[in-house]
Amino acid sequence: MEVTSSWISIGEWYVSKKEIYTMSWDVDLQKNIVIAAPNGGPIAVTRDRTKIVEANIQTSKPLIFLYTASGQPVSQLIYDGNIIAMDWIENERLVTVTSNGTISVYNIFGETLSQNNYYDLIDHEDIIDCRISNSGIVVLTNQFNFYHIELFKSERPTKMADQYKEELDREGPSAWAVVESVYSTQHGSLGAELIVATRNSVYNVDASRADNQLTAQHYVRIVVSPCGKKMACLSPNPNGEQYDLYIYKTDFSSQLAKYMGVAKRTPHALKWVGSEGVMMTWNHSMRYFEAGESIVVPSHDPESRAPVFVVTEIDGLRIISEGISEFFQRVPSELRDIFDFGSGAPSSFLYSAAADFANHDPKADEAIRQIRANLDIAVGTCISAAGYEFSRAEQSRLLKAASFGKCFLDSYNPDAFVATCRSLRVLNAIRHFEIGIPMTMRQYNFLGPETVIRCLIERRKHLLAWRICDYLKIKSDFVLNHWACTKVRTNLPEDVLSQVIIEKLEAVPGISYANIASAAHNARRPNLAIKLLDYEPRAADQVPPLITIGQHEMALNKAIESGDTDLVYLVLLELKRQSGLTDGFLEIVFSRPVALDLLISFCKQKGDVVMLKKIYSIRGQVKETGHLHLSEAFSTDEFDIRHKHLAMAGSAYSQSKDKDDLVYAKLCEDQAKLELLQKELENQHEGKEFLGISLSDTIYQLILLGEHKRVSKIKSEFKVSDRRFWWIKIKALSQVGDWEELHNFAKEKKSPVGYEPFVEVCMDFSNPVEALRYIPKIQDHVNRAQAYLQINYFREAAETAFKEKNLDLLNFIARKCTNPEASNIIDQMRAQLSK
Amino acid sequence: MNRGGPPPQQQQARGPQPGAMGKVPAQPTPAGAKKPPPLLLSQIPNISGQVLNLSSIRDQSKRELGEALDILPGGNKALVMDPKIIGLLNLVVDPQFLQSHGAERNYELKNGRLDTNCKNIIYIIRPKIKYMQMIKEHIIQHDIEKQSKRYAIIYIPRRTILCDRVLEEEGVAGNEFFNIKNNAVYLDEDLVNPPQGSGAPGQPAAPPPAAPGAAGAGGKKLPFPLHSNDKVFAEIRDTNFSVLGGILHKKAKDIDEYYKRFQSSQSPAAIRDFVKKLAQYQQEHNSLRIHTNVTEKILDITKSPGFMRRIECEQNMLAHINNEAVERYLEECINKKDPMYKILRLLVIYSLTNGGFKPKQLEFYRREIVQSYGAEAIMTLNNFEKLGLLCRAKESKPTYPLIKQDLNLIIEDLDETNQTDIAYVYSGYAPLSVRLVQAATKPGGWRSIEQALRLLPGPTFEEVQPLPQGAQSNAKSDRKPITLVYFIGGVTFAEISALRFLGRQEQANRDFVIITTKLINGDSFVDGIVEKFGEE
């Protein structure tokens, strides 16, 4: 068929009306209403309740039938209540609104995705009109209030400003529309914007204000274009016999077109064709308006009296009639360039040249030479034109022409060609009548492949979706995931199900199983859910559902495997909450060391001593029990409590089979003995604090108090080593500055720690004179020399080194020496040793 | 160090002399030049020009924090902060930022009452159970006193189920509570987690000698941020303490000469040139003065006989020689009751290098410590034993000498001024962790040190992570590879310096970025293991 056969001339250009499907349905459009989704979306059909129909069981049921755009039945649903409006929103969801404020959202299978009642939130006002779009729903109530309700959000409906109200008569607003653009990415983030027409004027309304736009027209219909920038307004002309059509910018900045006296009757539909023109329909007749021109659009079947229904697309209009479905649009300039009669465009020459070439006609060469200079443009035009075509044969001819032209170009970037071929292949697949999505290239580019694939999986066309992913190199795990979720709801036996699902999904590393498991759980297949969860790679997605299903032990194992302590706690605390500290709970925990450690750590952080003791006593962990008592003892200053816990700790340690732990028992015993002694000391030395200080400190304090007898008793009782004892005593005596006593002590017997400590404490208190009493006693001659150096006794230091014939030491002393007289002597010694 | 310019060998050969290095030239005030500007260093380190663009991550943290603070709308906010987090916070945001999000007062979270006039209270804390209990006390107190407040918690690094549950059980997880998950990451320059406070990197496992502050006029302590914004610090931070004096001395001389040059030449061109560079020199001059003061404090310690004996002991243990002297020294330290953390650190090194203690020995130290430092030490020692840091010798030979040999951990005759090996950071001991990194980045990788790896505790493995489906590598071919070194549990400044040294080596041909869960030193490491009573 000729491309131009579907063209209709209007003004200086063309529109086209092409058949895209023969409808495979059997629907009487005289008795029904048709509401189709844009972007080649599905069609909802319900009985037109304003028309009198012979009552039978079928017709009296409140049913909505859902079809694909090619008329393939998909599902049907029974609705409840008085539906005021229904329409499609993105992702092919059908929304219905009833007069008592119930908003329902369905998928193409008629399954309810959400249902909420807003009656309480809109002041119990009945809904009398409504517009449904991606940004939400605007309802008009019988009190003539507008509310904006956002879907899938928990916000309260927003009441719109109502300054227009005084101008309303009993009928309410004569027309109204929501201003929005399908291209906007942030749906409704700024709130809804309305155009509201009263009998005398027009208002621009949002949540905070209503601005009078001061036009004197009385509009009965206002429709905003898909781009949100233009609106078509229908107004009865003053003599009341005919209607005028005006096109304005939505901000009222200018009038774009007007058509006077265009209709005697109000049209059934007033719809935008893309954002360029407007179509009016009355039953089966149609009239198109664009840029000041208008034409009557012929119906494909002049015999039929059945009405047609139209749906606005971003780049045209779909016309749905009983027998066929058509796509109506302004003919794109690329197609005009190539196919218009007598076109002199290079692309037109290229197209015919390619055909000539195929027929071995030498004219081809001549044509190419003629357009040589513009060949790249011609190729580009043919590629674009192919994208507009629904006919595969024509796509192929146009692409061949482009490909032919490309041969004569040295460096033509093939990206556009390849991308178009790729997209067309996807489009042809989804346009097939069995799939039934008659999407145009522009719609496809607007939505993006991911959205299209999501539509396909929503329609359960998983295989096609998966192949498209594969073809376009898009991550396909969401397709498989959705497929599996759909699969678990079928009646297949569990073992078969788990096998097919795991087999398919295992090929995709990192794919999530958790939501499939949750779908299985919802479908009352807990065993399948458990089996699937076992494969979930992310513990954070795996453990919580296992708890929900009641698989606590498995949840605990998975949590432990993951190494995420927070998940382990999640399971442990849930278990504890459900079963308390029962044997069953403890058994589960005890058999897993990590869980046990974490539970113990939790108890310690919370200070839950009771639970800790229980755990240790059941497990026979006497050492830990001992530690627990020790820490209780050390956490208080009360002698009695400390004493009690020390005793208990000691007895716990002594029960241990490990010989090492007996050391701890002995330490506890010593500590208890020490504290008894300390208590006694506190009684004797009023105001002195002994309890809790160490044994060394106790001895030190007693030396300060001069209790030497007692000290030696304690020393032997607690087997304090001689060396330590000497250090304590040296430090204590120097502390009180009792240098005489220190000297006596040094003479008592040969020091087990040498005499360096004596020098050290003297120097700590900057007392070189005292230090000098001990330096000669230092045995190691290097240390002795160093000690002399410390008090600047250079000569004595040097003599020490000289006596031992230690030249290195002597040289070192020479460097440190600051006394010239001594330096001379040292130099002599050095000379003597160096000989 | 010493990149560019002839090495100042003359000064360094003489070695650091406390008197000589301490002299910073008096600053002349040339005509026309104003008084030196006060030393102003941004508290927030500059991290943009480094190997990785870390500033975008910091910006993200900042944004997240801002959003989290806005969860309670309006102003009149009191921030109650985890004491351990305040320092980190300073590296990400400044006080003005907090104020711009409505913060009026800052408090440190501690036990007891929280008295504030602010109506909104935001806690910025790590998810610790004890904090939950403190918060509960606050809420109950405010409730009893009929103070109407609103509360929010910002968890760093993440909110945990445990904390949620504790709040729930304490009965305060009501409607008035917001919990925010804030996975903030805090970064600085080439390492994640920044240097805070001072501490010369070269100290051999000794505690940081100077408090995070420099002695200002009149002996008052002033806080002083230390990071790469400070040119002088950037130059000295990776050096060993033993050469610190020499470097500062050289710097002082440079500045002195600069001033002298000005005084001798009075031509207009020379003066112009002088004034142009003045600000930079003055800044360095100021900074130098502070670092010189700090260095003197450090040298006071490192030159003391006590410190020398301790290093000797540590080096003996690491070289696995002179065991008797080591044991004598250990006992003496206990007898004279040196700080317990020091004893514990030395005992850990002893146990690790000797493959444990002889049974009698362990019992002896345990008794000596308990009797000297109190019975509370029983639990602490038990903690160390549980971690295997103190243990009984096994029948087999100690493994450390073999590891030491295989990994070349001890470098004899080390020239600290002319660094040729990472061992300079510990005056002759090469940190084992960095040796492993070094081996991994050499051709052949870890295969060449297989025996040593077998001797070290824990498994070793190599894993090649494939890019996930659809992802693309954005590594540019013309840049050096980046090696990310992650220290779980903590890293010391000396290890960082050693890694920086590796990164500077031509043959490494790679940049290192260090991530760590904590910056540690010997004392903070021990502190995490010491059992505490009554306060936790």
Side-chain angles (χ1 to χ4, degrees), chain A residues 475 477 481 505 508-516 532-546 558-559 561-562 564 567, chain B residues 468:
Chain A
K475 256 183 110 171
D477 50 356
N481 211 293
L505 268 62
V508 185
I511 195 168
S512 174
Y513 288 75
N515 57 339
I516 307 170
L532 290 170
L533 277 173
D534 200 19
Y535 285 86
E536 171 57 50
R538 276 167 291 269
D541 292 338
Q542 179 183 42
V543 174
L546 281 172
K558 294 292 180 187
E561 271 173 38
S562 79
D564 183 342
L567 285 175

Side-chain angles (χ1 to χ4, degrees), chain B residues 228-453:
Chain B
S228 45
N229 292 13
D230 175 349
K231 283 223 177 70
V232 178
F233 179 66
E235 214 171 307
I236 60 173
R237 64 172 170 186
D238 294 325
T239 51
N240 188 290
F241 63 89
S242 61
V243 299
L244 201 49
I247 293 172
L248 290 177
H249 182 72
K250 161 84 169 47
K251 267 228 114 53
K253 258 190 91 168
D254 285 351
I255 292 175
D256 200 26
E257 263 166 32
Y258 163 76
Y259 287 133
K260 272 192 194 133
R261 261 207 315 281
F262 162 71
Q263 279 159 349
S264 57
S265 72
Q266 293 288 346
S267 77
I271 291 173
R272 222 176 14 251
D273 186 49
F274 175 83
V275 173
K276 208 162 76 194
K277 289 191 190 142
L278 185 65
Q280 185 206 330
Y281 269 95
Q282 277 177 333
Q283 171 124 61
E284 265 184 51
H285 191 169
N286 278 323
S287 160
L288 183 66
R289 202 155 43 201
I290 285 170
H291 288 298
T292 308
N293 281 333
V294 173
T295 303
E296 269 180 21
K297 294 266 174 268
I298 293 173
L299 291 182
D300 279 352
I301 292 168
T302 57
K303 289 195 158 296
S304 69
F307 185 82
M308 304 283 232
R309 287 191 67 196
R310 174 187 186 155
I311 288 197
E312 193 187 332
C313 167
E314 286 177 355
Q315 300 211 333
N316 280 341
M317 289 193 282
L318 290 168
H320 211 243
I321 51 172
N322 288 347
N323 247 356
E324 270 171 44
V326 167
E327 283 160 19
R328 259 202 316 277
Y329 177 70
L330 283 174
E331 191 192 331
E332 188 190 315
C333 288
I334 299 172
N335 285 343
K336 63 203 258 202
K337 236 190 138 205
D338 276 349
M340 185 170 71
Y341 280 26
K342 170 182 167 184
I343 311 293
L344 290 170
R345 287 168 59 183
L346 293 174
L347 286 177
V348 167
I349 300 177
Y350 184 93
S351 179
L352 291 177
T353 52
N354 283 289
F357 296 94
K358 294 176 214 106
K360 276 262 164 68
Q361 230 181 348
L362 186 59
E363 218 162 287
F364 169 76
Y365 285 125
R366 194 188 275 147
R367 237 176 78 87
E368 292 296 298
I369 288 173
V370 168
Q371 289 199 348
S372 297
Y373 298 92
E376 286 88 343
I378 297 173
M379 305 275 292
T380 294
L381 290 169
N382 185 61
N383 290 346
F384 277 89
E385 285 176 51
K386 264 202 249 172
L387 290 168
L389 292 171
L390 297 178
C391 67
R392 229 164 257 261
K394 307 197 181 59
E395 307 232 324
S396 52
K397 270 189 166 175
T399 53
Y400 173 77
L402 289 172
I403 296 169
K404 177 186 74 146
Q405 195 180 356
D406 276 15
L407 296 180
N408 194 20
L409 295 184
I410 300 298
I411 303 290
E412 308 281 349
D413 308 322
L414 183 95
D415 180 359
E416 278 154 349
T417 57
N418 187 16
Q419 301 150 6
T420 51
D421 188 272
I422 56 167
Y424 84 90
V425 297
Y426 282 120
S427 305
Y429 167 74
L432 198 154
S433 57
V434 185
R435 271 284 191 262
L436 293 179
V437 175
Q438 197 176 11
T441 56
K442 273 185 189 155
W446 276 355
R447 253 163 302 164
S448 56
I449 54 162
E450 260 170 4
Q451 180 184 285
L453 288 177

Side-chain angles (χ1 to χ4, degrees), chain A residues 38-170:
Chain A
N39 301 313
I43 303 171
V45 176
T46 190
R47 194 168 71 75
D48 185 350
R49 302 219 159 243
T50 61
K51 291 189 178 148
I52 298 155
V53 184
E54 194 185 333
N56 63 31
I57 292 173
Q58 267 310 310
T59 55
S60 62
K61 262 194 201 162
L63 280 171
I64 298 173
F65 297 88
L66 299 172
Y67 297 90
T68 68
S70 60
Q72 300 259 334
V74 180
S75 65
Q76 62 187 58
L77 64 98
I78 300 178
Y79 64 87
D80 203 16
N82 175 25
I83 289 188
I84 293 298
M86 64 169 144
D87 208 343
W88 296 89
I89 58 170
E90 59 196 346
N91 299 323
E92 303 189 342
R93 307 257 191 260
L94 182 69
V95 179
T96 63
V97 180
T98 65
S99 59
N100 63 358
T102 298
I103 298 180
S104 313
V105 182
Y106 304 94
N107 67 8
I108 193 172
F109 290 98
E111 295 166 342
T112 310
L113 301 177
S114 78
Q115 190 163 62
N116 292 300
N117 188 284
Y118 290 88
Y119 201 54
D120 293 344
L121 299 174
I122 56 172
D123 285 347
H124 302 99
E125 296 168 14
D126 280 353
I127 295 173
I128 58 170
D129 200 0
C130 164
R131 302 278 184 274
I132 297 161
S133 68
N134 290 340
S135 65
I137 291 163
V138 178
V139 298
L140 173 65
T141 67
N142 56 358
Q143 303 302 308
F144 305 140
N145 290 317
F146 286 105
Y147 292 90
H148 179 226
I149 300 167
E150 288 186 76
L151 283 171
F152 314 117
K153 282 188 188 160
S154 53
E155 273 100 25
R156 295 175 65 92
T158 315
K159 192 177 175 187
M160 310 299 281
D162 59 2
Q163 285 91 328
Y164 55 85
K165 254 189 172 177
E166 330 169 334
E167 286 186 29
L168 294 180
D169 54 25
R170 280 190 308 121

Side-chain angles (χ1 to χ4, degrees), chain B residues 17-87:
Chain B
Q17 300 198 345
M21 60 73 51
K23 294 285 172 282
V24 173
Q27 196 171 301
T29 317
K34 286 188 188 135
K35 270 178 78 180
L39 187 78
L40 267 181
L41 284 170
S42 161
Q43 193 80 29
I44 300 177
N46 172 26
I47 56 176
S48 51
Q50 300 289 343
V51 176
L52 283 181
N53 185 6
L54 299 178
S55 48
S56 67
I57 303 177
R58 187 173 62 190
D59 289 347
Q60 164 91 3
S61 299
K62 193 173 168 179
R63 203 165 48 244
E64 275 181 19
L65 184 65
E67 280 165 15
L69 289 172
D70 291 340
I71 194 82
L72 293 184
N76 201 231
K77 289 171 190 164
L79 302 187
V80 186
M81 288 187 267
D82 185 333
K84 290 265 168 67
I85 274 178
I86 296 174

Side-chain angles (χ1 to χ4, degrees), chain B residues 422 434 437-438 441 497-505 508 512:
Chain B
I422 56 167
V434 185
V437 175
Q438 197 176 11
T441 56
S497 294
L499 269 172
R500 286 196 183 125
F501 173 82
L502 277 192
R504 283 195 301 271
Q505 303 305 297
F512 289 97

